[in-house]
Amino acid sequence: MRTGDIDLFGYCKVLVESGYDGPVCLEVIGAKGHSLAQVSIVAAESYGYLNAVLRSLGAR
C-alpha cells in the first residue's frame, strides 16, 4: 500500500489552529484484496500516525 498522498499533518494543523474540537475520521482506501491481518496493520499504523500528529499539535 502507498502512503503519503495527502499532507495529513497540514490538514490537522489547520483544524487545530482554527479551533476545531470535534471528531476526526481518516478513510483508508485501496485495501481490497488484502488479508484481515494486513488491513489491521494499516489501520493501527494510520491511527498511530494520526494520534501522534494530533499530540504534536497539542490537540490531544
Side-chain angles (χ1 to χ4, degrees), residues 27-52:
E27 179 179 359
V28 178
I29 58 174
K32 186 175 183 178
H34 288 47
S35 70
L36 179 58
Q38 291 169 316
V39 172
S40 297
I41 290 167
V42 170
E45 289 174 349
S46 298
Y47 172 80
Y49 179 72
L50 182 58
N51 193 46

Side-chain angles (χ1 to χ4, degrees), residues 12 15-17 20-21 51-60:
C12 291
L15 289 174
V16 171
E17 288 174 350
Y20 180 75
D21 191 26
N51 193 46
V53 165
L54 292 172
R55 283 186 184 272
S56 72
L57 294 168
R60 287 223 168 216

